[in-house]
Amino acid sequence: MSQPDLYLPTDEFVATALLSDLLPVPAATSLPKLDSWPVYLNTIRGFCTVSVVGGGANENPLEDPVVSVGTWASVPGWDRPQWGAAAQLAAVVWSAAGNRFEPQTYRQSDKYAYALVSSLSRVARPRRIPDPDASMAHFETEVRIHYVPTDA
């Protein structure tokens, strides 16, 4: 069996690349240690997590994964969760999914085809997620990403 000329982009890659562009904080598939989160608002640190939770089984080139987006905010050493900051990060995602979207192209590496993201749509409203670690505020929302693999 021969290797493909270009691998197809993965849903997780497309989601993390798109959300890292939309938000003032990075996105990844897992939550790193709080000390590595960037400070994005005064002393508040934030982060975004993504997980593919569904989507259609298409026979055409359009991909449309449903992605659960977690937005997180905290101030290290402070035991008060930053609910407003986490909610604002979620609101940025929700707003982008409800507004006209400027198509974007992303590429994992030169071994992968590009992913042309054509739109983002709303699936589930942002909601507060209680966390056993009272110092972290966490919101979740779901969005659908519409993209096609392309050569350029």
Short mmCIF file of all heavy atoms in Angstrom, two decimals, residues 2-62:
data_model
loop_
_atom_site.label_atom_id
_atom_site.label_comp_id
_atom_site.label_asym_id
_atom_site.label_seq_id
_atom_site.Cartn_x
_atom_site.Cartn_y
_atom_site.Cartn_z
N SER A 2 0.62 2.14 -0.88
CA SER A 2 1.47 3.34 -0.99
C SER A 2 0.95 4.45 -0.10
O SER A 2 -0.23 4.51 0.25
CB SER A 2 1.53 3.81 -2.44
OG SER A 2 0.26 4.24 -2.86
N GLN A 3 1.84 5.36 0.25
CA GLN A 3 1.49 6.53 1.06
C GLN A 3 0.71 7.52 0.19
O GLN A 3 1.01 7.67 -0.99
CB GLN A 3 2.77 7.22 1.56
CG GLN A 3 3.58 6.39 2.50
CD GLN A 3 3.05 6.47 3.91
OE1 GLN A 3 2.21 7.29 4.23
NE2 GLN A 3 3.52 5.60 4.77
N PRO A 4 -0.28 8.21 0.75
CA PRO A 4 -0.97 9.23 -0.03
C PRO A 4 -0.04 10.42 -0.29
O PRO A 4 0.92 10.65 0.46
CB PRO A 4 -2.14 9.63 0.88
CG PRO A 4 -1.70 9.26 2.25
CD PRO A 4 -0.78 8.08 2.10
N ASP A 5 -0.31 11.16 -1.37
CA ASP A 5 0.48 12.36 -1.66
C ASP A 5 0.36 13.36 -0.50
O ASP A 5 1.33 13.92 -0.06
CB ASP A 5 0.03 13.02 -2.96
CG ASP A 5 0.41 12.18 -4.17
OD1 ASP A 5 1.36 11.37 -4.07
OD2 ASP A 5 -0.26 12.32 -5.20
N LEU A 6 -0.88 13.57 -0.05
CA LEU A 6 -1.14 14.45 1.09
C LEU A 6 -2.17 13.79 2.00
O LEU A 6 -3.17 13.25 1.53
CB LEU A 6 -1.70 15.80 0.61
CG LEU A 6 -0.75 16.70 -0.15
CD1 LEU A 6 -1.51 17.93 -0.68
CD2 LEU A 6 0.40 17.15 0.73
N TYR A 7 -1.92 13.84 3.28
CA TYR A 7 -2.90 13.35 4.25
C TYR A 7 -4.02 14.37 4.38
O TYR A 7 -3.81 15.57 4.19
CB TYR A 7 -2.25 13.14 5.62
CG TYR A 7 -1.23 12.04 5.63
CD1 TYR A 7 0.13 12.33 5.61
CD2 TYR A 7 -1.62 10.70 5.65
CE1 TYR A 7 1.08 11.32 5.61
CE2 TYR A 7 -0.68 9.68 5.66
CZ TYR A 7 0.67 10.00 5.64
OH TYR A 7 1.60 9.01 5.64
N LEU A 8 -5.20 13.90 4.75
CA LEU A 8 -6.32 14.81 4.96
C LEU A 8 -6.17 15.51 6.30
O LEU A 8 -5.66 14.93 7.27
CB LEU A 8 -7.64 14.05 4.92
CG LEU A 8 -8.01 13.46 3.56
CD1 LEU A 8 -9.27 12.61 3.68
CD2 LEU A 8 -8.20 14.56 2.54
N PRO A 9 -6.61 16.77 6.40
CA PRO A 9 -6.54 17.46 7.70
C PRO A 9 -7.45 16.77 8.71
O PRO A 9 -8.50 16.23 8.35
CB PRO A 9 -7.02 18.87 7.37
CG PRO A 9 -7.72 18.78 6.07
CD PRO A 9 -7.21 17.57 5.36
N THR A 10 -7.05 16.80 9.96
CA THR A 10 -7.88 16.20 11.01
C THR A 10 -8.83 17.24 11.58
O THR A 10 -8.53 18.44 11.61
CB THR A 10 -7.01 15.63 12.14
OG1 THR A 10 -6.33 16.71 12.78
CG2 THR A 10 -6.01 14.62 11.62
N ASP A 11 -9.98 16.78 12.04
CA ASP A 11 -10.97 17.68 12.64
C ASP A 11 -10.38 18.42 13.84
O ASP A 11 -10.62 19.61 14.02
CB ASP A 11 -12.21 16.90 13.08
CG ASP A 11 -12.98 16.30 11.92
OD1 ASP A 11 -12.78 16.72 10.75
OD2 ASP A 11 -13.80 15.39 12.17
N GLU A 12 -9.63 17.71 14.67
CA GLU A 12 -9.04 18.34 15.86
C GLU A 12 -8.06 19.44 15.49
O GLU A 12 -8.04 20.50 16.10
CB GLU A 12 -8.36 17.30 16.75
CG GLU A 12 -9.32 16.41 17.48
CD GLU A 12 -8.64 15.35 18.32
OE1 GLU A 12 -7.50 14.97 18.01
OE2 GLU A 12 -9.28 14.91 19.29
N PHE A 13 -7.24 19.17 14.46
CA PHE A 13 -6.32 20.22 14.02
C PHE A 13 -7.07 21.44 13.54
O PHE A 13 -6.75 22.57 13.90
CB PHE A 13 -5.38 19.73 12.92
CG PHE A 13 -4.69 20.88 12.25
CD1 PHE A 13 -3.65 21.54 12.89
CD2 PHE A 13 -5.14 21.37 11.04
CE1 PHE A 13 -3.05 22.66 12.31
CE2 PHE A 13 -4.55 22.48 10.45
CZ PHE A 13 -3.50 23.12 11.09
N VAL A 14 -8.07 21.24 12.68
CA VAL A 14 -8.83 22.36 12.13
C VAL A 14 -9.48 23.16 13.27
O VAL A 14 -9.43 24.39 13.29
CB VAL A 14 -9.89 21.88 11.11
CG1 VAL A 14 -10.78 23.03 10.66
CG2 VAL A 14 -9.20 21.23 9.91
N ALA A 15 -10.06 22.47 14.23
CA ALA A 15 -10.71 23.14 15.36
C ALA A 15 -9.71 23.95 16.19
O ALA A 15 -9.97 25.10 16.53
CB ALA A 15 -11.44 22.13 16.24
N THR A 16 -8.57 23.36 16.53
CA THR A 16 -7.60 24.09 17.35
C THR A 16 -7.01 25.27 16.59
O THR A 16 -6.82 26.34 17.16
CB THR A 16 -6.48 23.18 17.88
OG1 THR A 16 -5.83 22.54 16.79
CG2 THR A 16 -7.01 22.15 18.85
N ALA A 17 -6.74 25.11 15.31
CA ALA A 17 -6.19 26.22 14.52
C ALA A 17 -7.20 27.36 14.41
O ALA A 17 -6.87 28.53 14.62
CB ALA A 17 -5.79 25.73 13.13
N LEU A 18 -8.44 27.02 14.09
CA LEU A 18 -9.49 28.04 13.95
C LEU A 18 -9.72 28.78 15.27
O LEU A 18 -9.76 30.01 15.31
CB LEU A 18 -10.79 27.39 13.48
CG LEU A 18 -12.03 28.28 13.46
CD1 LEU A 18 -11.86 29.43 12.49
CD2 LEU A 18 -13.26 27.46 13.14
N LEU A 19 -9.86 28.04 16.37
CA LEU A 19 -10.14 28.68 17.66
C LEU A 19 -8.95 29.48 18.18
O LEU A 19 -9.14 30.51 18.81
CB LEU A 19 -10.62 27.64 18.66
CG LEU A 19 -12.01 27.10 18.31
CD1 LEU A 19 -12.30 25.81 19.03
CD2 LEU A 19 -13.07 28.15 18.60
N SER A 20 -7.74 29.03 17.88
CA SER A 20 -6.57 29.83 18.26
C SER A 20 -6.54 31.15 17.51
O SER A 20 -6.03 32.14 18.03
CB SER A 20 -5.28 29.03 17.99
OG SER A 20 -5.18 27.95 18.88
N ASP A 21 -7.10 31.17 16.29
CA ASP A 21 -7.21 32.42 15.53
C ASP A 21 -8.31 33.33 16.09
O ASP A 21 -8.16 34.55 16.13
CB ASP A 21 -7.54 32.14 14.07
CG ASP A 21 -6.32 32.08 13.19
OD1 ASP A 21 -5.20 32.26 13.70
OD2 ASP A 21 -6.50 31.85 11.98
N LEU A 22 -9.42 32.73 16.51
CA LEU A 22 -10.57 33.51 16.98
C LEU A 22 -10.36 34.11 18.37
O LEU A 22 -10.85 35.20 18.66
CB LEU A 22 -11.83 32.64 17.04
CG LEU A 22 -12.48 32.24 15.74
CD1 LEU A 22 -13.63 31.28 16.02
CD2 LEU A 22 -12.97 33.46 14.98
N LEU A 23 -9.67 33.39 19.23
CA LEU A 23 -9.57 33.76 20.64
C LEU A 23 -8.23 34.41 20.98
O LEU A 23 -7.23 34.14 20.30
CB LEU A 23 -9.76 32.52 21.52
CG LEU A 23 -11.14 31.88 21.46
CD1 LEU A 23 -11.13 30.51 22.12
CD2 LEU A 23 -12.17 32.78 22.13
N PRO A 24 -8.18 35.18 22.06
CA PRO A 24 -6.91 35.75 22.50
C PRO A 24 -6.06 34.77 23.31
O PRO A 24 -5.07 35.16 23.91
CB PRO A 24 -7.34 36.94 23.36
CG PRO A 24 -8.64 36.51 23.94
CD PRO A 24 -9.31 35.70 22.85
N VAL A 25 -6.48 33.51 23.34
CA VAL A 25 -5.76 32.45 24.06
C VAL A 25 -5.60 31.26 23.12
O VAL A 25 -6.35 31.11 22.16
CB VAL A 25 -6.51 32.03 25.34
CG1 VAL A 25 -6.65 33.20 26.31
CG2 VAL A 25 -7.87 31.43 25.02
N PRO A 26 -4.63 30.38 23.37
CA PRO A 26 -4.45 29.22 22.50
C PRO A 26 -5.51 28.15 22.75
O PRO A 26 -6.16 28.12 23.80
CB PRO A 26 -3.06 28.71 22.89
CG PRO A 26 -2.81 29.21 24.25
CD PRO A 26 -3.59 30.49 24.39
N ALA A 27 -5.66 27.29 21.75
CA ALA A 27 -6.56 26.14 21.85
C ALA A 27 -5.76 24.86 21.65
O ALA A 27 -4.79 24.84 20.89
CB ALA A 27 -7.66 26.24 20.80
N ALA A 28 -6.17 23.81 22.36
CA ALA A 28 -5.53 22.51 22.24
C ALA A 28 -6.54 21.44 22.61
O ALA A 28 -7.65 21.75 23.06
CB ALA A 28 -4.30 22.43 23.15
N THR A 29 -6.15 20.19 22.45
CA THR A 29 -7.06 19.09 22.77
C THR A 29 -7.03 18.69 24.24
O THR A 29 -7.88 17.94 24.68
CB THR A 29 -6.75 17.86 21.90
OG1 THR A 29 -5.38 17.49 22.10
CG2 THR A 29 -7.01 18.14 20.43
N SER A 30 -6.06 19.19 24.98
CA SER A 30 -6.01 18.92 26.42
C SER A 30 -5.58 20.17 27.16
O SER A 30 -4.94 21.06 26.59
CB SER A 30 -5.08 17.75 26.73
OG SER A 30 -3.78 18.03 26.31
N LEU A 31 -5.94 20.23 28.41
CA LEU A 31 -5.67 21.39 29.25
C LEU A 31 -4.28 21.27 29.88
O LEU A 31 -4.03 20.34 30.65
CB LEU A 31 -6.74 21.48 30.34
CG LEU A 31 -6.84 22.76 31.14
CD1 LEU A 31 -7.21 23.94 30.25
CD2 LEU A 31 -7.90 22.60 32.24
N PRO A 32 -3.38 22.20 29.59
CA PRO A 32 -2.04 22.13 30.21
C PRO A 32 -2.09 22.67 31.63
O PRO A 32 -3.11 23.18 32.10
CB PRO A 32 -1.20 23.03 29.31
CG PRO A 32 -2.15 24.02 28.77
CD PRO A 32 -3.48 23.30 28.65
N LYS A 33 -0.95 22.61 32.31
CA LYS A 33 -0.86 23.17 33.66
C LYS A 33 -1.12 24.67 33.61
O LYS A 33 -0.71 25.35 32.66
CB LYS A 33 0.51 22.89 34.26
CG LYS A 33 0.72 21.44 34.55
CD LYS A 33 2.03 21.21 35.26
CE LYS A 33 2.14 19.72 35.55
NZ LYS A 33 3.16 19.42 36.52
N LEU A 34 -1.77 25.18 34.63
CA LEU A 34 -2.18 26.58 34.69
C LEU A 34 -1.01 27.54 34.48
O LEU A 34 -1.17 28.57 33.82
CB LEU A 34 -2.86 26.85 36.04
CG LEU A 34 -3.32 28.28 36.32
CD1 LEU A 34 -4.30 28.76 35.26
CD2 LEU A 34 -3.95 28.37 37.69
N ASP A 35 0.16 27.21 34.99
CA ASP A 35 1.31 28.10 34.85
C ASP A 35 1.71 28.36 33.40
O ASP A 35 2.36 29.35 33.10
CB ASP A 35 2.51 27.55 35.61
CG ASP A 35 2.30 27.58 37.11
OD1 ASP A 35 1.38 28.28 37.57
OD2 ASP A 35 3.04 26.89 37.83
N SER A 36 1.32 27.46 32.49
CA SER A 36 1.68 27.65 31.08
C SER A 36 0.61 28.39 30.28
O SER A 36 0.82 28.70 29.11
CB SER A 36 1.98 26.30 30.43
OG SER A 36 0.79 25.54 30.32
N TRP A 37 -0.56 28.68 30.89
CA TRP A 37 -1.58 29.44 30.19
C TRP A 37 -1.09 30.88 30.01
O TRP A 37 -0.47 31.44 30.91
CB TRP A 37 -2.87 29.50 30.98
CG TRP A 37 -3.56 28.22 31.28
CD1 TRP A 37 -3.11 26.95 31.07
CD2 TRP A 37 -4.83 28.09 31.89
NE1 TRP A 37 -4.02 26.05 31.51
CE2 TRP A 37 -5.10 26.72 32.02
CE3 TRP A 37 -5.78 28.99 32.35
CZ2 TRP A 37 -6.27 26.23 32.57
CZ3 TRP A 37 -6.95 28.52 32.90
CH2 TRP A 37 -7.19 27.15 33.01
N PRO A 38 -1.40 31.51 28.90
CA PRO A 38 -0.98 32.90 28.73
C PRO A 38 -1.87 33.86 29.52
O PRO A 38 -3.06 33.60 29.72
CB PRO A 38 -1.14 33.15 27.23
CG PRO A 38 -2.21 32.19 26.82
CD PRO A 38 -2.05 30.98 27.70
N VAL A 39 -1.27 34.95 29.96
CA VAL A 39 -2.05 36.04 30.57
C VAL A 39 -2.63 36.83 29.41
O VAL A 39 -1.92 37.25 28.51
CB VAL A 39 -1.15 36.95 31.44
CG1 VAL A 39 -1.93 38.15 31.94
CG2 VAL A 39 -0.57 36.15 32.60
N TYR A 40 -3.95 37.00 29.40
CA TYR A 40 -4.57 37.71 28.28
C TYR A 40 -5.39 38.93 28.72
O TYR A 40 -5.79 39.73 27.89
CB TYR A 40 -5.43 36.78 27.42
CG TYR A 40 -6.77 36.43 28.02
CD1 TYR A 40 -7.91 37.11 27.64
CD2 TYR A 40 -6.89 35.43 28.97
CE1 TYR A 40 -9.13 36.79 28.17
CE2 TYR A 40 -8.10 35.11 29.51
CZ TYR A 40 -9.23 35.79 29.11
OH TYR A 40 -10.44 35.47 29.65
N LEU A 41 -5.62 39.07 30.00
CA LEU A 41 -6.42 40.18 30.49
C LEU A 41 -5.94 40.53 31.90
O LEU A 41 -6.23 39.80 32.84
CB LEU A 41 -7.91 39.79 30.50
CG LEU A 41 -8.91 40.83 30.96
CD1 LEU A 41 -8.95 42.00 29.98
CD2 LEU A 41 -10.30 40.20 31.05
N ASN A 42 -5.17 41.60 32.03
CA ASN A 42 -4.58 41.99 33.31
C ASN A 42 -3.78 40.81 33.89
O ASN A 42 -2.74 40.47 33.38
CB ASN A 42 -5.64 42.51 34.27
CG ASN A 42 -6.31 43.76 33.73
OD1 ASN A 42 -5.67 44.59 33.10
ND2 ASN A 42 -7.60 43.88 33.96
N THR A 43 -4.30 40.18 34.94
CA THR A 43 -3.61 39.03 35.54
C THR A 43 -4.32 37.71 35.26
O THR A 43 -3.90 36.67 35.75
CB THR A 43 -3.51 39.21 37.07
OG1 THR A 43 -4.84 39.30 37.60
CG2 THR A 43 -2.71 40.44 37.43
N ILE A 44 -5.38 37.76 34.45
CA ILE A 44 -6.17 36.55 34.19
C ILE A 44 -5.51 35.72 33.10
O ILE A 44 -5.11 36.23 32.06
CB ILE A 44 -7.61 36.93 33.76
CG1 ILE A 44 -8.30 37.69 34.90
CG2 ILE A 44 -8.40 35.67 33.40
CD1 ILE A 44 -9.67 38.23 34.53
N ARG A 45 -5.39 34.44 33.39
CA ARG A 45 -4.87 33.48 32.41
C ARG A 45 -6.05 32.74 31.79
O ARG A 45 -7.05 32.48 32.46
CB ARG A 45 -3.93 32.48 33.08
CG ARG A 45 -2.64 33.11 33.57
CD ARG A 45 -1.76 32.07 34.26
NE ARG A 45 -0.56 32.69 34.77
CZ ARG A 45 0.63 32.63 34.17
NH1 ARG A 45 0.75 31.98 33.04
NH2 ARG A 45 1.67 33.21 34.71
N GLY A 46 -5.90 32.40 30.53
CA GLY A 46 -6.98 31.69 29.86
C GLY A 46 -6.49 30.61 28.92
O GLY A 46 -5.32 30.61 28.52
N PHE A 47 -7.40 29.72 28.59
CA PHE A 47 -7.08 28.64 27.67
C PHE A 47 -8.37 28.13 27.05
O PHE A 47 -9.46 28.37 27.56
CB PHE A 47 -6.36 27.49 28.39
CG PHE A 47 -5.52 26.66 27.47
CD1 PHE A 47 -4.26 27.09 27.11
CD2 PHE A 47 -6.00 25.46 26.96
CE1 PHE A 47 -3.47 26.34 26.24
CE2 PHE A 47 -5.23 24.71 26.10
CZ PHE A 47 -3.96 25.15 25.74
N CYS A 48 -8.24 27.41 25.92
CA CYS A 48 -9.39 26.83 25.23
C CYS A 48 -9.08 25.36 24.92
O CYS A 48 -7.98 25.05 24.47
CB CYS A 48 -9.63 27.60 23.93
SG CYS A 48 -10.90 26.89 22.87
N THR A 49 -10.04 24.49 25.20
CA THR A 49 -9.89 23.08 24.84
C THR A 49 -10.95 22.71 23.82
O THR A 49 -12.04 23.29 23.79
CB THR A 49 -10.03 22.16 26.07
OG1 THR A 49 -11.26 22.46 26.75
CG2 THR A 49 -8.86 22.34 27.03
N VAL A 50 -10.61 21.76 22.95
CA VAL A 50 -11.55 21.31 21.93
C VAL A 50 -11.63 19.79 21.94
O VAL A 50 -10.66 19.10 22.23
CB VAL A 50 -11.16 21.80 20.52
CG1 VAL A 50 -11.15 23.30 20.45
CG2 VAL A 50 -9.83 21.24 20.08
N SER A 51 -12.81 19.30 21.61
CA SER A 51 -13.04 17.87 21.49
C SER A 51 -14.11 17.66 20.44
O SER A 51 -15.18 18.28 20.50
CB SER A 51 -13.50 17.30 22.84
OG SER A 51 -13.80 15.94 22.72
N VAL A 52 -13.83 16.82 19.47
CA VAL A 52 -14.83 16.51 18.44
C VAL A 52 -15.87 15.59 19.07
O VAL A 52 -15.53 14.54 19.63
CB VAL A 52 -14.18 15.85 17.21
CG1 VAL A 52 -15.24 15.47 16.19
CG2 VAL A 52 -13.15 16.79 16.59
N VAL A 53 -17.15 16.00 19.02
CA VAL A 53 -18.21 15.24 19.67
C VAL A 53 -19.27 14.72 18.70
O VAL A 53 -20.20 14.04 19.11
CB VAL A 53 -18.89 16.06 20.79
CG1 VAL A 53 -17.91 16.35 21.92
CG2 VAL A 53 -19.49 17.35 20.25
N GLY A 54 -19.13 15.03 17.42
CA GLY A 54 -20.11 14.55 16.45
C GLY A 54 -19.89 15.16 15.09
O GLY A 54 -18.85 15.75 14.82
N GLY A 55 -20.88 15.02 14.26
CA GLY A 55 -20.82 15.56 12.91
C GLY A 55 -21.39 14.57 11.92
O GLY A 55 -21.62 13.40 12.25
N GLY A 56 -21.61 15.04 10.72
CA GLY A 56 -22.20 14.21 9.68
C GLY A 56 -21.21 13.27 9.04
O GLY A 56 -20.00 13.48 9.08
N ALA A 57 -21.74 12.23 8.46
CA ALA A 57 -20.93 11.30 7.67
C ALA A 57 -21.18 11.64 6.21
O ALA A 57 -22.14 11.18 5.61
CB ALA A 57 -21.33 9.86 7.98
N ASN A 58 -20.34 12.50 5.68
CA ASN A 58 -20.55 13.00 4.32
C ASN A 58 -19.85 12.15 3.29
O ASN A 58 -18.78 11.62 3.54
CB ASN A 58 -20.01 14.44 4.22
CG ASN A 58 -20.78 15.38 5.09
OD1 ASN A 58 -22.00 15.31 5.15
ND2 ASN A 58 -20.09 16.25 5.78
N GLU A 59 -20.48 12.07 2.13
CA GLU A 59 -19.83 11.40 1.01
C GLU A 59 -19.23 12.42 0.06
O GLU A 59 -18.56 12.06 -0.89
CB GLU A 59 -20.82 10.49 0.29
CG GLU A 59 -21.22 9.32 1.17
CD GLU A 59 -22.07 8.31 0.44
OE1 GLU A 59 -22.01 8.27 -0.80
OE2 GLU A 59 -22.79 7.58 1.10
N ASN A 60 -19.46 13.68 0.29
CA ASN A 60 -18.84 14.73 -0.53
C ASN A 60 -17.67 15.29 0.26
O ASN A 60 -17.45 14.92 1.41
CB ASN A 60 -19.86 15.81 -0.90
CG ASN A 60 -20.46 16.48 0.33
OD1 ASN A 60 -19.82 16.56 1.36
ND2 ASN A 60 -21.68 16.96 0.20
N PRO A 61 -16.89 16.17 -0.31
CA PRO A 61 -15.68 16.62 0.41
C PRO A 61 -15.94 17.54 1.60
O PRO A 61 -15.04 17.78 2.37
CB PRO A 61 -14.88 17.35 -0.67
CG PRO A 61 -15.86 17.70 -1.73
CD PRO A 61 -16.95 16.69 -1.66
N LEU A 62 -17.19 18.02 1.79
CA LEU A 62 -17.47 18.91 2.92
C LEU A 62 -17.39 18.14 4.24
O LEU A 62 -18.05 17.12 4.41
CB LEU A 62 -18.84 19.56 2.79
CG LEU A 62 -19.27 20.43 3.98
CD1 LEU A 62 -18.40 21.69 4.05
CD2 LEU A 62 -20.73 20.79 3.89
#
